[in-house]
Amino acid sequence: MLTGRMPLLLGREFYATPALLGAVVFCLIRYYFPLHGFNIIYAVGIIFILRSSAIQWGLYYPKWLIYSEKN
């Protein structure tokens, strides 16, 4: 807000969605398999795969879904 620029999280690239999906996967795995020791590794793996595939193939949010500044 201080710089007058749009935050990176509200831009076109995938940032928050992989983290949100990873958190949901972690909660579901933790609920259904509470004694499994690798729950966090699976969730981080999901986040890493989603984010790296978005970088590799240039996946972006659709224009109608992103924040747009009024000039």
Side-chain angles (χ1 to χ4, degrees), residues 1 6 8 11 16 23-24 27-28 32 34 45 47 49-50 52-53 64:
M1 289 190 74
M6 180 179 58
L8 286 176
V24 168
C27 290
L28 290 174
Y32 289 110
I47 295 169
I49 288 170
L50 288 174
S52 61
S53 63
W64 60 269

Side-chain angles (χ1 to χ4, degrees), residues 8-58:
L8 286 176
L9 292 176
L10 299 176
R12 292 185 60 207
E13 294 187 13
F14 273 172
Y15 282 109
T17 303
L20 177 65
L21 292 176
V24 168
V25 166
F26 176 73
C27 290
L28 290 174
I29 291 174
R30 182 78 178 209
Y31 181 75
Y32 289 110
F33 305 105
L35 299 178
H36 199 274
F38 295 108
N39 292 342
I40 191 74
I41 294 173
Y42 297 145
V44 169
I46 294 289
I47 295 169
F48 180 77
I49 288 170
L50 288 174
R51 182 66 184 127
S52 61
S53 63
I55 292 170
Q56 176 68 29
W57 292 301

